[in-house]
């Protein structure tokens, strides 16, 4: 029998039906290819983020031998950085380096912030300091690209923590300094103690006396600078045996003894408390200490606490209204500081009324980190590496971390030019800074009490042959002494003077000491034996748009002397390969024959060399160059005619130039005087201009014999290979030369 079906069923039976579903997932729509790719991307981002948060590589200690972890540090920091000073730290792991007294590890910045949010004090401190010191910080306070990578943390057991970015930024310029209190178990891990802030306490002065005694007994360099017998006393001293009523004492000529000298900033006129012809007799009877400014009263107290009876300071030991006495005492001032038992430097006081014994403020503590150490470290014994997991019991102490800078902070006394001579001529000094007390001698510079002291950018010391009692100076040693003179000039020139006319007077004492060793004539800050080399000083900052040099309104020195300008001077030592110019004449006229290294009223330098005309040009990098004429242009033109053809832009015609002042850039006519070729095969030039207005000296624009008079406006240099390309080498080295007068 044949079966029949409905019409709808018959029509659908003509096409095959899909297979029946075999599992429940087939009931969902099939994912699109784009949606699947996005899901895979999200998954990879989650995996990458998880890996970054967990990235932390470095040596760790087996947790089974450690005490229970405190809640304020994460697991890795407890086993790694906190245990870095323990003898249980492994000697070497493949992920990081353990080199002697240095512990290093790497951590992602994202993971650092994540653990900081979870309460780890060490991770929080690193994250905060790293973020605050980000040199690439964006205006919207977002995190810049370098800090999305890995941080390299290096812990030195000398007390410093350096943070760098690996691998492109291996050393980030900031650090944390760790210290521990004396009774803390971790005091043997770091050698540094907290800053001593009670600088006038008996404890501080006891530490200071220990430093002085150690210097006298152990430092051979310092002993060579001090006389074996008591020093010759100055003309007058302050008797400090009664601190409430000190008195002025006139010493016997040739008398010997110990005394302390004071270096400080006046901060204004000292009309009420200085020695004059009228009050000198009364001061011999006694001075009411309450009428003296605080800085002088503090110095009297420190002098007596050190066990010394006498103090020298300029306002009381020099008759201020006697020109004769001031001239005599100021001439011997360098000997006064040189012969002092110790010099008290009131560095933190910007005025004599402020004083310097007030209690200082501690730097804020960035973090207090629990640290592990073995009993050997807590007693200061050397560390020994342990093997296996057996280890002696650990002690838990606390390391306090404070932010530290590369150099010590600037003090008010560092801005005064007169005070530099007083510091450099002192064999020993107690420097009362704004943070603590620093002891400085010819061997060391340390903070009294054992706190960390940075010697970066420290004021350079004088060579030992300058301060030595019986100096023996060889020819090679004179070269280093000459370089050290320019280190002194660099530090001195950045300081200020109450009377700008004292530019050469305030360093005359130092110049006299150098002259005794160099044996050369002093020419307004330069030396005759190295004159061509000394001419190439530069104003700091003159290579870019910011100019710091300025000329005083009153004549002070010839233009070729650094003393003619106000601004920080830089001088770069180099070896001379060939001298191109010849010194025909160089003279200076001093104002007072009794001070031969002091003020000058006139100066004249005559060089025999060719003149090459040029014009300044600012390059794309905002550096100034001198576009100089070619040899053909020099032969076809007279010096009074317009300068070179500047329509031709030839990079080989440019010489790097350093102008002395901003106004010197705008001159239309200037010349380059080739002076010498250095060991780097660079030709060095002086840049001069006509002294038409007589701005530098009282001389007219022409000398007595009718020759034009020039003044220095800068210096420049270029490579000899560029000179050969434009025909300069023949013109500079073989052409006919003329006498060039520079004033």
């Amino acid at each position: 029998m044949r079966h029949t079906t409905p019409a709808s069923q018959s029509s659908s039976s003509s096409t095959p039906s899909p297979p029946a579903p075999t599992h429940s997932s087939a009931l969902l729509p099939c994912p699109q290819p784009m949606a699947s790719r996005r899901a895979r991307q999200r998954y990879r981002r989650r995996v990458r983020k998880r890996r970054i948060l967990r990235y932390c590589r470095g040596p760790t200690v087996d947790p089974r031998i450690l005490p229970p972890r405190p809640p304020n540090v994460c697991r890795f920091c407890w086993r790694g950085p906190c245990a870095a000073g323990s003898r249980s730290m492994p000697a070497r792991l493949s992920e990081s380096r353990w080199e002697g007294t240095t512990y290093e590890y790497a951590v992602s910045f994202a993971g650092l912030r994540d653990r900081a949010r979870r309460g780890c004090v060490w991770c929080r401190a690193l994250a905060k300091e790293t973020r605050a010191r980000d040199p690439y910080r964006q205006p919207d306070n977002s995190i810049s690209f370098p800090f999305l990578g890995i941080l390299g943390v290096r812990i030195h057991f000398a007390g410093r923590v350096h943070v760098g970015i690996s691998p492109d930024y291996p050393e980030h310029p900031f650090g944390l300094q760790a210290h521990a209190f004396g009774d803390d178990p971790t005091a043997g891990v770091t050698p540094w103690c907290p800053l001593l802030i009670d600088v006038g306490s008996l404890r501080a002065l006891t530490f200071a006396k220990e430093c002085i005694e150690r210097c006298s007994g152990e430092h051979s360099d310092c002993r060579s600078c001090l006389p074996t017998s008591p020093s010759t006393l100055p003309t007058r001293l302050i008797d400090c045996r009664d601190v409430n009523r000190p008195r002025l004492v006139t010493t016997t000529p040739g008398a010997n003894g110990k005394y302390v000298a004071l270096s400080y900033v006046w901060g204004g006129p000292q009309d009420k408390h200085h020695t004059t012809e009228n009050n000198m007799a009364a001061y011999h009877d006694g001075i009411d200490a309450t009428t003296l400014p605080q800085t002088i009263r503090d110095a009297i107290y420190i002098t007596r606490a050190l066990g010394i009876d006498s103090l020298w300071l300029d306002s009381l030991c020099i008759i201020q209204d006697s020109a004769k006495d001031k001239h005599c005492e100021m001439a011997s001032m360098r000997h006064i500081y040189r012969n002092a038992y110790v010099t008290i430097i009131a560095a933190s006081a910007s005025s004599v009324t402020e004083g310097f014994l007030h209690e200082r403020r501690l730097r804020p503590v960035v973090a207090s980190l629990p640290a592990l150490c073995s009993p050997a470290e807590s007693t200061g014994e050397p560390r020994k590496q342990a093997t296996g997991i057996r280890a002696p019991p650990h002690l838990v102490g606390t390391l306090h971390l404070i932010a530290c800078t590369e150099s010590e902070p600037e003090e008010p006394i560092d801005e005064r030019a007169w005070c530099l001579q007083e510091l450099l001529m002192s064999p020993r000094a107690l420097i009362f800074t704004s943070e603590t007390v620093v002891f400085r001698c010819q061997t060391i510079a340390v903070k009294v009490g054992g706190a960390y002291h940075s010697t970066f950018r420290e004021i350079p010391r004088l060579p030992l042959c300058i301060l030595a009692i019986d100096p023996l100076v060889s020819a090679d040693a004179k070269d280093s002494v000459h370089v050290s003179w320019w280190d002194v000039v660099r530090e001195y020139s950045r300081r200020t003077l109450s009377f700008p006319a004292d530019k050469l007077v305030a360093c005359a004492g130092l110049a006299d000491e150098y002259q005794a060793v160099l044996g050369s004539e002093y020419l307004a800050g330069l030396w005759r034996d190295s004159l061509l080399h000394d001419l190439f000083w530069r104003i700091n900052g003159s290579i870019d748009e910011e100019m710091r040099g300025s000329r005083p309104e009153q004549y002070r020195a010839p233009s070729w002397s650094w003393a003619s300008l106000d601004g920080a001077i830089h001088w770069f030592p180099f070896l001379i390969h060939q001298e191109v110019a010849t010194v025909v004449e160089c003279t200076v006229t001093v104002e007072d024959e009794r001070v031969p290294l002091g003020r000058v009223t006139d100066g004249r330098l005559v060089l025999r060399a060719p003149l090459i005309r040029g014009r300044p040009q600012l390059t794309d990098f905002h550096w100034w160059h001198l576009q100089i004429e070619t040899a053909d242009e020099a032969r076809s033109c007279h010096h009074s005619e317009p300068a070179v053809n500047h329509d031709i832009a030839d990079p080989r015609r440019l010489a790097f130039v350093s102008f002395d002042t901003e106004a010197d850039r705008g001159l239309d006519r200037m010349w380059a005087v080739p002076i010498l070729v250095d060991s780097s095969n660079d030709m060095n030039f002086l840049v001069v201009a006509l002294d038409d207005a007589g701005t530098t000296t009282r001389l007219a624009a022409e000398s007595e014999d009718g020759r034009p008079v020039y003044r220095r406006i800068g210096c420049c240099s270029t490579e000899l290979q560029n000179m050969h390309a434009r025909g300069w080498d023949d013109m500079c080295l073989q052409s006919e030369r003329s006498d060039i007068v520079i004033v």
Side-chain angles (χ1 to χ4, degrees):
M1 179 177 177
R2 180 178 300 180
H3 298 280
T4 60
T5 59
S8 60
Q9 294 182 2
S10 61
S11 61
S12 61
S13 62
S14 60
T15 59
S17 60
T22 59
H23 51 80
S24 60
S25 62
L27 299 176
L28 298 176
C30 181
Q32 298 295 326
M34 182 62 68
S36 177
R37 184 163 57 251
R38 289 176 179 174
R40 289 195 298 269
Q41 290 175 352
R42 286 194 298 269
Y43 174 76
R44 284 195 295 266
R45 283 196 296 267
R46 286 195 298 268
V47 172
R48 190 184 304 115
K49 181 178 180 180
R50 190 180 301 112
R51 289 177 179 175
I52 292 177
L53 290 176
R54 294 179 179 178
Y55 183 87
C56 197
R57 298 290 185 268
T60 57
V61 177
D62 193 312
R64 291 174 293 177
I65 64 175
L66 296 180
R69 176 173 61 90
N72 59 341
V73 290
C74 64
R75 184 179 307 169
F76 175 82
C77 290
W78 181 243
R79 298 166 53 188
C82 293
S86 170
R87 289 185 300 168
S88 303
M89 179 60 66
R92 183 178 295 274
L93 293 180
S94 57
E95 294 86 353
S96 184
R97 295 190 301 274
W98 172 263
E99 301 173 355
T101 58
T102 302
Y103 171 78
E104 299 182 10
Y105 71 97
V107 60
S108 67
F109 185 70
L112 196 70
R113 289 189 300 165
D114 181 68
R115 286 193 293 274
R117 286 193 294 264
R118 296 173 184 266
C120 179
V121 292
W122 174 240
C123 294
R124 184 187 306 149
L126 284 185
K128 180 181 178 181
E129 291 297 315
T130 305
R131 185 65 192 91
R133 299 169 186 265
D134 180 5
Y136 303 94
R137 191 170 185 171
Q138 303 299 321
D140 59 354
N141 207 33
S142 61
I143 298 177
S144 57
F145 169 74
F147 288 94
L148 297 178
I150 305 302
L151 297 178
V153 182
R154 184 181 304 130
I155 301 176
H156 296 273
F157 287 98
R160 295 292 297 274
V161 179
H162 295 282
V163 179
I165 305 173
S166 305
D168 298 330
Y169 300 87
E171 191 68 28
H172 190 53
F174 91 89
L176 300 173
Q177 182 251 314
H179 67 260
F181 292 97
D183 56 349
D184 194 276
T186 57
V189 176
T190 175
W192 309 119
C193 300
L195 283 172
L196 194 151
I197 59 175
D198 50 342
V199 295
S201 65
L202 179 61
R203 183 171 69 102
L205 297 177
T206 301
F207 286 145
K209 286 194 287 187
E210 291 176 357
C211 292
I212 296 174
E213 293 171 358
R214 192 179 305 115
C215 173
S216 301
E218 301 177 5
H219 298 166
S220 58
D221 290 343
C222 297
R223 288 199 301 268
S224 66
C225 302
L226 296 171
T228 55
S229 59
S231 305
T232 303
L233 296 177
T235 305
R236 301 174 193 87
L237 288 169
I238 301 297
D239 186 350
C240 304
R241 285 177 293 183
D242 185 356
V243 294
N244 296 319
R245 191 168 180 81
R247 63 189 186 92
L248 182 66
V249 176
T250 301
T251 62
T252 304
N256 298 329
K258 286 184 179 181
Y259 65 94
V260 175
L262 174 64
S263 175
Y264 64 106
V265 178
W266 280 28
Q270 310 298 306
D271 299 334
K272 298 181 180 180
H273 44 263
H274 66 253
T275 301
T276 63
E277 295 281 1
N278 296 330
N279 63 12
M280 187 168 60
Y283 280 7
H284 276 96
D285 295 335
I287 307 172
D288 185 3
T290 59
T291 63
L292 296 175
Q294 190 61 45
T295 294
I296 297 178
R297 292 162 62 183
D298 290 348
I300 293 173
Y301 167 77
I302 294 295
T303 301
R304 195 70 194 101
L306 293 176
I308 310 298
D309 296 336
S310 302
L311 171 68
W312 186 94
L313 64 146
D314 51 5
S315 64
L316 294 180
C317 298
I318 300 177
I319 304 176
Q320 299 297 322
D321 59 351
S322 173
K324 180 180 178 181
D325 190 73
K326 289 177 67 175
H327 178 271
C328 179
E329 293 299 316
M330 291 178 67
S332 61
M333 189 176 293
R334 69 182 188 275
H335 300 297
I336 294 175
Y337 285 95
R338 182 174 181 174
N339 295 329
Y341 178 71
V342 66
T343 298
I344 298 172
I345 299 181
S348 62
S350 58
S351 173
V352 69
T353 60
E354 293 184 7
F356 56 88
L357 292 185
H358 56 275
E359 187 169 312
R360 273 55 174 173
R361 298 174 59 182
L362 285 173
R363 295 182 187 175
V365 176
V366 176
S368 294
L369 178 69
L372 292 167
C373 63
S374 302
E377 281 80 8
S378 65
T379 57
E381 298 179 10
R383 298 186 185 85
K384 297 180 181 179
Q385 297 295 335
T387 57
I389 65 173
R390 293 184 179 181
H394 294 85
L395 301 177
V396 181
T398 303
L399 288 178
H400 303 279
L401 303 175
I402 61 174
C404 59
T405 56
E406 294 182 355
S407 59
E408 296 298 321
E410 290 280 334
E411 304 292 344
I413 205 168
D414 296 331
E415 302 176 0
R416 305 302 299 169
W418 277 102
C419 297
L420 177 64
Q421 176 179 256
E422 299 166 3
L423 169 65
L424 296 181
M425 293 304 300
S426 301
R428 289 190 291 252
L430 282 176
I431 307 173
F432 289 80
T433 68
S434 57
E435 290 187 334
T436 186
V437 187
V438 176
F439 174 77
R440 170 185 164 119
C441 63
Q442 301 306 306
T443 305
I444 61 172
V446 295
K447 287 181 178 175
V448 171
Y452 175 79
H453 178 69
S454 173
T455 57
F456 184 70
R457 295 178 183 171
E458 185 183 30
I459 297 176
R461 294 173 176 82
L462 296 182
L464 287 177
C465 58
I466 297 289
L467 296 176
I469 303 300
D470 298 316
L472 297 175
V473 185
S474 61
D476 294 337
K478 287 187 177 181
D479 293 337
S480 62
V481 172
H482 177 254
V483 173
S484 73
W485 164 255
W486 284 102
D487 291 337
V488 172
V489 171
R490 179 181 59 197
E491 176 64 28
Y492 174 78
S493 59
R494 73 175 186 85
R495 300 180 175 222
T496 59
L497 287 159
S498 300
F499 303 99
D502 290 341
K503 190 80 170 183
L504 290 171
V505 179
C507 65
L510 290 171
D512 196 10
E513 297 290 340
Y514 273 89
Q515 189 178 41
V517 174
L518 294 175
S520 179
E521 184 181 358
Y522 185 70
L523 301 167
L526 282 63
W527 303 99
R528 183 177 292 277
D529 291 349
S530 55
L531 184 58
L532 291 180
H533 195 181
D534 289 353
L535 290 172
F536 288 96
W537 50 266
R538 300 171 186 261
I539 284 287
N540 184 27
S542 57
I543 64 174
D544 53 21
E545 285 293 315
E546 182 182 359
M547 299 294 295
R548 304 180 187 178
S550 61
R551 287 192 176 89
E553 297 180 358
Q554 211 170 16
Y555 178 80
R556 190 168 63 196
S559 64
W560 41 266
S561 168
W562 56 266
S564 63
L565 297 178
D566 291 325
I569 299 296
H570 274 217
W571 179 86
F572 302 97
F574 54 80
L575 298 177
I576 299 178
H577 176 69
Q578 180 181 1
E579 294 183 354
V580 179
T582 304
V583 179
V584 178
E585 175 189 353
C586 186
T587 58
V588 293
T589 304
V590 297
E591 182 180 87
D592 189 349
E593 293 294 340
R594 297 176 300 176
V595 190
L597 308 185
R599 297 180 183 178
V600 300
T601 59
D602 198 5
R604 176 186 176 95
L605 172 64
V606 181
L607 298 176
R608 185 163 295 160
L611 277 175
I612 306 175
R613 291 172 299 173
R615 177 176 294 176
Q617 179 175 334
L618 185 62
T619 62
D620 295 337
F621 296 99
H622 300 284
W623 286 2
W624 285 92
H625 289 73
L626 194 68
Q627 190 172 359
I628 305 180
E629 66 184 358
T630 62
D632 294 336
E633 292 171 340
R635 298 186 185 97
S636 61
C637 299
H638 189 268
H639 292 308
S640 60
E641 297 178 6
V644 298
N645 180 11
H646 298 284
D647 296 334
I648 304 175
D650 187 357
R652 296 175 303 175
R653 297 161 64 103
L654 300 178
F656 173 80
V657 63
S658 171
F659 288 107
D660 293 342
T661 66
E662 179 112 23
D664 295 332
R665 297 172 175 173
L667 298 176
D668 292 332
R669 295 194 299 172
M670 59 184 65
W671 290 263
V673 182
I675 303 296
L676 53 86
V677 180
D678 61 28
S679 57
S680 300
N681 214 27
D682 290 344
M683 178 67 79
N684 295 269
F685 303 82
L686 274 189
V687 182
V688 298
L690 287 173
D691 190 34
D692 294 330
T695 56
T696 306
T697 181
R698 299 191 181 119
L699 296 177
E702 291 186 356
S703 60
E704 296 177 356
D705 52 6
R707 290 179 297 182
V709 173
Y710 299 89
R711 62 182 177 91
R712 172 194 155 122
I713 61 173
C715 56
C716 65
S717 63
T718 188
E719 297 180 1
L720 273 180
Q721 59 182 3
N722 290 339
M723 295 183 61
H724 179 73
R726 51 182 176 254
W728 280 6
D729 47 357
D730 293 337
M731 181 173 62
C732 293
L733 303 178
Q734 302 176 10
S735 63
E736 182 179 356
R737 307 177 185 185
S738 59
D739 290 349
I740 306 166
V741 181
I742 307 174
V743 295

